[in-house]
Amino acid sequence: MLLHIPNVLSPDQVARMRQRLEAAEWTDGRETVGVQGAKVKHNLQLPDTSPLREELAREVLKALARHPVYHAATLPLRTLPPRFNRYEGGGEYGFHVDGAVMSLPNGEQLRSDISCTLFLAEPDNYEGGELVISDTYGEHEVKLPAGDLIVYPSSSLHRVMPVTRGARLAAFFWVQSLIRDDNRRRMLFELDTSIQTLTRTGADASAVLQLTGVYHNLLRQWSET
Ligand code: NI
């Protein structure tokens, strides 16, 4: 499921974050990928151990924790603390697939089910930089307003187009979901969304309760912890 989640960060939050990032020290993005990725990755990242990265990552995680749509769509079990990247001067990231297993700071492992990109620069401040996601339905180009998030299956091939003017700033991270299978996760999200709509529009309460029971029982059947 490819899902655009608007307004994860407020305009104020984005502006403050961007100001901090403009003054930051960046390193070569190839430091955090394997051999396959290193050949096609040309961007800059905040070093994993930089205090700024840790501080901004906490702020993003806090914003995600408050966001009901993000929760309903991802059903997160573990989340890799966000990293921050910058593309400029023709920087790009060619087609690649994200690593399946990653290490969390506490030593635990995370299986990457969902890839997330949080856009931090306004689209008209840079040329290019589209995130292109290739799945069974073809290729999708994504370039969102600052503060908006895209979530997509980590199993997909994807790339970032060259940035030919200005700079593209973003946060990116991975989620291991309670629901490993993308189709099941999408069905649960649709069911959840329908239940919310039925509740809001005053549908028959006992029917809504029964559907809510179905939602939780499916979650019980399918979730892995
Ligand atoms: Ni990737």
Side-chain angles (χ1 to χ4, degrees):
M1 175 172 62
L2 186 68
L3 185 71
H4 169 189
I5 305 176
N7 305 316
V8 169
L9 296 179
S10 69
D12 269 7
Q13 276 179 308
V14 172
R16 261 183 314 189
M17 225 175 250
R18 208 159 43 211
Q19 207 172 24
R20 306 285 305 280
L21 290 171
E22 289 299 344
E25 300 247 354
W26 297 85
T27 53
D28 193 319
R30 281 174 289 196
E31 283 174 16
T32 54
V33 282
V35 181
Q36 173 240 165
K39 285 187 198 148
V40 290
K41 189 175 184 186
H42 305 283
N43 68 359
L44 298 168
Q45 268 176 220
L46 284 191
D48 269 5
T49 52
S50 102
L52 180 62
R53 183 254 176 165
E54 286 172 15
E55 181 193 328
L56 298 185
R58 271 198 302 275
E59 193 175 336
V60 171
L61 290 174
K62 227 186 202 173
L64 293 171
R66 285 192 300 258
H67 205 293
V69 178
Y70 170 77
H71 264 265
T74 62
L75 298 167
L77 173 63
R78 300 190 180 103
T79 306
L80 198 83
R83 292 183 175 133
F84 296 82
N85 62 16
R86 178 184 182 100
Y87 292 80
E88 61 190 345
E92 63 176 312
Y93 195 168
F95 266 122
H96 65 280
V97 64
D98 294 338
V101 179
M102 305 181 183
S103 293
L104 289 165
N106 65 6
E108 281 186 339
Q109 307 255 285
L110 166 144
R111 183 191 64 231
S112 60
D113 294 324
I114 304 170
S115 301
C116 307
T117 299
L118 176 61
F119 288 77
L120 295 174
E122 290 300 346
D124 52 3
N125 285 349
Y126 60 99
E127 205 74 55
E130 296 84 1
L131 172 65
V132 179
I133 298 160
S134 174
D135 63 17
T136 47
Y137 298 103
E139 289 191 357
H140 313 274
E141 273 194 14
V142 181
K143 186 170 177 175
L144 302 180
D148 288 14
L149 179 75
I150 188 83
V151 301
Y152 59 100
S154 298
S155 54
S156 63
L157 281 177
H158 53 275
R159 65 179 297 185
V160 175
M161 300 300 284
V163 173
T164 52
R165 177 183 65 81
R168 176 196 195 266
L169 292 169
F172 63 103
F173 54 96
W174 291 270
V175 177
Q176 177 171 343
S177 176
L178 287 164
I179 307 296
R180 178 185 198 147
D181 182 77
D182 189 62
N183 286 319
R184 288 181 175 180
R185 208 183 313 113
R186 182 177 45 77
M187 287 191 285
L188 284 171
F189 178 61
E190 287 172 357
L191 183 54
D192 188 359
T193 309
S194 303
I195 292 169
Q196 305 293 336
T197 306
L198 289 171
T199 305
R200 219 178 30 248
T201 53
D204 178 83
S206 65
V208 171
L209 181 61
Q210 198 163 32
L211 274 181
T212 307
V214 171
Y215 174 85
H216 283 282
N217 287 331
L218 282 173
L219 191 54
R220 225 184 308 277
Q221 291 263 328
W222 290 344
S223 62
E224 303 168 33
T225 56

